[in-house]
Amino acid sequence: MPETLMHPVEELTEAFQAASRDAKFQAELAHLLKHFAGRPTPLFHARHLSEHLGGAQIYLKREDLLHTGAHKINNCLGQGLLAQRLGKTRLVAETGAGQHGVATATVAALLGMDCTVYMGEEDMARQAPNVFRMRLLGAEVVGVASGSKTLKDAINEGMRDWVTNVSNTHYLMGSVLGPHPYPLMVREFQRIIGQEAREQILTTTRQLPDLLVACVGGGSNSIGLFYDFIPDREVKMVGVEAGGRSLSLGEHAARFAGGRPGVLHGAYTYVLQTPDGLISNTHSVSAGLDYAAVGPEHSALFRQGRVEYCHASDEEALEAARLLARMEGIIPALEPAHALAEVVKRAPRLGREQIIMVNLSGRGDKDLGIFQQAGIL
Amino acid sequence: MTATTFKSRINLCFGKLRQCGSKGLVVYLTAGDPSLAATGELLAAIERGGADVIELGVPFSDPLADGPVIQRASERALRSGTTLTRILEHLPRWREKLQAPVVLFTYFNPVLQFGLERFAREAAQAGADGALVVDLTPEEAEDYTAVMRAQHLDTIFLAAPTSTDARLELAARSSSGFLYLISRTGVTGERAAIEASARTLVERARRLTALPLAVGFGISKPEQVREVQALADAAVVGSAVVHAIEERYDSAGAPAIEQFVRALKEGCNPA
């Protein structure tokens, strides 16, 4: 990390630790999560899809029903309150699919803060409705034309803004990426997904799930679902990365399939890169998974073998989205559609008494243009 | 950190400057911008223009500490096929014609992929005098400084206006050759004026270390160089020189850059 940001990051670490112990902060966050964001989210038994695939019972954790349409709001409310506590008046964020940008702009409006969101120009084009939503919420959206014009480049530009305006600005990282304390802090704000889901499945079925499935871009929705199940050794977990068009470098974002350990944006983790250590461009139909590095905690879980990582292609994700829409009347975002693509492969291999739980991390409204272009009707 | 009795080229350079009561000019350029052949020519021109220390930038795909000028230079250099390996291949030939110390200025990932020990060994063999890894903070740098020291290479770290005294001390303790002070919060790039934060930082650093102090970020004009030299031991000019290379190298060649650096050195307005 640049030296200029080291002291701010140390301050943030202290503030986060203090807030974690502060009952008033926790109560305020819990209040907003319930009354503003709409928690707890339901756990839905997708009976028709389960029947259709002919194997395990599939349960969907409905993060897509949250205010702003994805799990991102959980983390934004937490960090927004923390930024206020630090006396910051301005939020800066990167966004890929725009879900994190919309959630940040929403929290900025709610808390009366200024907001600037950096977004790759390619992502602005393919997720145009979210650009409009952010602007309507009062945020400034700045297009980034460098590099691959996607999430990695937006983070570079967001960091440049932060390093310049560090005295009044909080960088609201949207995933379990970046320097400490971000990976830990974002995980703590997303853990609620798994905490709720664990209680819900035990109440409904009186058993733990056999398999958890979630998509992995930076990895916040997946770590959020997985974390509280880690001690349950009998629960298998699968993280699904973006397989893109093919597995040649630049055509996908499957870090565990094509990457190796390196440093990007202040984290040591699996990174897609050239032999010379230059960060590779990536491709995915889903802007939210289109990033060259993965959250460092996922690298640790991969090395420990606690979580298995696989990938789904653009085509498989689009097909899985269509299937869910037809079977259950739910249009998923393209990010969790990657998780559903893996469920399509695995459910038939499991028994009917077994349970797969999927994090349906966001809804598909933002992707209608891509669905249309892909001609999946 | 064990103090080394070895006198590096950077130590000697600052020693000489101190002896004759003058201040230094540190000049940055990106290797391979616009080509590696040009870099050889530009290094010689920059030295003739009066640079006391040269920072040789290794282009990176994601230069998040840099402003638009150095970002563009990195893109040009990467397009011309420049990598750390190729820079180290060319450096011995460039070194032969130079007196000034050369500091490799790089992001961490290319060095990590190259291998820390191999980097130190090959950089020393190629004739580099030290390195500055812009996104490596001293608390994460133990392995790196150890292999660099073993090869008698200087390690230069950064301190910023936001660095606490504890961090400033850590940066100074981990540095050898000189300590690089960032004049203001922000990325690299030219600015109209030197900010007051630079003076405060120099004064704080002075109390904490005997190392020579170089101030950089935002210094682009001869009068700013003078202003900084009145405070610190050296001024670093990066983006302004890179900008001059971008605008004038193709049409007017290396002599135009020599002239630009000479103007910075002599404190008269560049043509």
Side-chain angles (χ1 to χ4, degrees):
Chain A
M1 282 305 284
E3 172 63 23
T4 306
L5 295 177
M6 285 308 291
H7 182 60
V9 157
E10 290 169 355
E11 275 182 336
L12 182 62
T13 306
E14 281 168 30
F16 172 66
Q17 285 165 351
S20 308
R21 293 186 299 264
D22 180 354
K24 195 170 151 254
F25 178 91
Q26 296 303 329
E28 201 178 349
L29 179 58
H31 178 87
L32 288 175
L33 285 171
K34 182 173 178 190
H35 297 284
F36 184 71
R39 300 211 74 90
T41 57
L43 183 70
F44 177 68
H45 185 189
R47 286 199 172 81
H48 295 119
L49 181 65
S50 306
E51 192 60 33
H52 173 79
L53 294 173
Q57 300 308 307
I58 298 157
Y59 284 80
L60 306 174
K61 181 59 176 162
R62 300 289 312 273
E63 294 296 295
D64 62 315
L65 291 176
L66 282 174
H67 180 39
T68 71
H71 72 293
K72 296 291 185 186
I73 191 78
N74 301 330
N75 167 50
C76 288
L77 284 169
Q79 283 195 52
L81 291 178
L82 204 56
Q84 265 194 334
R85 200 182 161 100
L86 279 162
K88 309 288 183 185
T89 56
R90 178 170 177 265
L91 299 176
V92 163
E94 79 294 339
T95 196
Q99 290 304 114
H100 174 59
V102 167
T104 304
T106 299
V107 167
L110 175 73
L111 300 179
M113 299 171 95
D114 292 329
C115 180
T116 302
V117 178
Y118 291 90
M119 189 169 187
E121 282 184 351
E122 184 183 326
D123 292 340
M124 282 178 80
R126 59 179 164 167
Q127 309 275 226
N130 273 344
V131 175
F132 185 76
R133 288 166 82 197
M134 286 185 269
R135 289 183 171 149
L136 190 61
L137 289 159
E140 179 191 16
V141 182
V142 181
V144 178
S146 57
S148 55
K149 302 178 188 165
T150 57
L151 187 56
K152 149 177 105 68
D153 313 286
I155 295 182
N156 290 342
E157 216 47 45
M159 293 258 179
R160 290 182 186 120
D161 180 315
W162 190 27
V163 82
T164 306
N165 301 298
V166 64
S167 61
N168 71 344
T169 298
H170 172 70
Y171 189 95
L172 209 163
M173 178 73 79
S175 194
V176 286
L177 299 167
H180 179 70
Y182 284 103
L184 176 120
M185 180 169 71
V186 176
R187 180 197 75 204
E188 289 301 304
F189 289 138
Q190 294 293 2
R191 265 178 76 179
I192 192 160
I193 302 171
Q195 286 166 341
E196 280 177 12
R198 197 170 182 283
E199 206 182 300
Q200 286 166 324
I201 197 75
L202 285 174
T203 308
T204 323
T205 68
R206 303 189 188 285
Q207 66 181 94
L208 283 169
D210 295 279
L211 179 66
L212 304 180
V213 185
C215 63
V216 184
S220 71
N221 92 79
S222 47
I223 211 89
L225 177 66
F226 294 167
Y227 195 70
D228 278 69
F229 289 95
I230 288 176
D232 303 315
R233 305 307 297 186
E234 66 272 38
V235 179
K236 283 191 184 166
M237 305 179 185
V238 177
V240 188
E241 300 184 284
R245 287 185 287 249
S246 80
L247 280 190
S248 52
L249 196 64
E251 293 287 297
H252 67 95
R255 288 67 46 103
F256 291 115
R260 62 179 192 283
V263 171
L264 180 61
H265 296 141
Y268 178 68
T269 186
Y270 276 76
V271 181
L272 290 165
Q273 54 187 315
T274 69
D276 295 301
L278 303 173
I279 309 306
S280 164
N281 286 344
T282 50
H283 162 79
S284 170
V285 68
S286 144
L289 304 183
D290 200 350
Y291 180 65
V294 65
E297 193 165 3
H298 284 287
S299 291
L301 292 167
F302 171 74
R303 288 243 171 134
Q304 291 157 15
R306 181 66 186 95
V307 178
E308 181 189 340
Y309 294 86
C310 62
H311 45 83
S313 69
D314 287 355
E315 213 176 310
E316 289 168 334
L318 285 162
E319 179 50 34
R322 196 187 63 89
L323 184 67
L324 188 71
R326 295 292 168 89
M327 290 285 151
E328 302 291 348
I330 299 170
I331 301 172
L334 278 167
E335 289 77 16
H338 284 71
L340 292 165
E342 187 61 22
V343 170
V344 169
K345 293 177 205 168
R346 294 200 186 218
R349 289 185 247 144
L350 297 182
R352 285 172 189 274
E353 70 296 344
Q354 290 186 289
I355 294 173
I356 299 179
M357 191 191 279
V358 192
N359 196 0
L360 196 62
S361 56
R363 62 176 173 242
D365 311 34
K366 69 184 177 66
D367 295 319
L368 296 181
I370 300 173
F371 290 135
Q372 243 170 346
Q373 264 180 9
I376 62 166
L377 283 187
Chain B
M1 215 58 62
T2 50
T4 167
T5 49
F6 171 81
K7 277 277 176 201
S8 73
R9 209 182 262 127
I10 299 175
N11 291 148
L12 293 170
C13 170
F14 278 99
K16 216 159 71 187
L17 285 166
R18 260 184 196 175
Q19 245 171 18
C20 47
S22 55
K23 299 296 179 72
L25 175 66
V26 181
V27 170
Y28 169 96
L29 78 163
T30 302
D33 169 31
S35 68
L36 283 165
T39 300
E41 205 190 349
L42 285 165
L43 282 167
I46 285 167
E47 175 164 84
R48 280 197 305 275
D52 299 292
V53 175
I54 300 176
E55 288 179 354
L56 187 60
V58 177
F60 184 52
S61 51
D62 295 78
L64 65 83
D66 284 300
V69 171
I70 295 180
Q71 286 176 47
R72 289 199 300 270
S74 296
E75 283 168 20
R76 286 192 296 271
L78 292 174
R79 272 202 302 275
S80 79
T82 309
T83 59
L84 178 56
T85 311
R86 295 197 64 203
I87 293 168
L88 292 175
E89 279 166 15
H90 281 72
L91 188 53
R93 241 172 304 145
W94 298 336
R95 176 79 266 176
E96 277 171 23
K97 296 175 195 141
L98 290 176
Q99 302 299 314
V102 173
V103 175
L104 293 166
F105 190 102
T106 181
Y107 286 80
F108 187 52
N109 199 50
V111 173
L112 184 68
Q113 301 307 322
F114 196 81
L116 297 185
E117 203 161 355
R118 179 178 163 219
F119 171 73
R121 195 174 58 240
E122 296 193 15
Q125 278 166 4
D129 299 289
L132 193 167
V133 184
V134 65
D135 56 347
L136 182 66
T137 52
E139 60 264 55
E140 307 271 4
E142 218 171 291
D143 295 349
Y144 158 80
T145 39
V147 297
M148 294 290 281
R149 289 289 140 79
Q151 297 289 340
H152 300 300
L153 290 172
D154 282 316
T155 53
I156 292 121
F157 285 89
L158 299 157
T162 51
S163 306
T164 54
D165 277 358
R167 297 202 58 82
L168 241 174
E169 239 180 317
L170 179 64
R173 238 189 359 258
S174 312
S175 293
S176 61
F178 63 95
L179 178 63
Y180 190 129
L181 304 179
I182 300 174
S183 71
R184 55 173 166 78
T185 58
V187 293
T188 58
E190 300 147 83
R191 289 292 182 284
I194 304 296
E195 288 176 33
S197 54
R199 177 183 296 275
T200 319
L201 183 59
V202 171
E203 284 165 0
R204 287 173 53 216
R206 272 286 184 246
R207 285 198 294 271
L208 294 170
T209 178
L211 279 175
L213 304 176
V215 174
F217 280 44
I219 301 162
S220 54
K221 298 188 189 73
E223 55 272 25
Q224 294 172 327
V225 170
R226 269 204 309 276
E227 205 181 316
V228 164
Q229 288 177 337
L231 297 172
D233 300 288
V236 187
V237 183
S239 295
V241 172
V242 172
H243 202 173
I245 292 170
E246 180 177 48
E247 286 191 339
R248 303 184 205 175
Y249 178 74
D250 279 347
S251 56
I257 308 309
E258 178 180 338
Q259 207 182 341
F260 185 85
V261 173
R262 183 167 294 122
L264 291 169
K265 181 72 173 179
E266 290 173 357
C268 47
N269 286 314

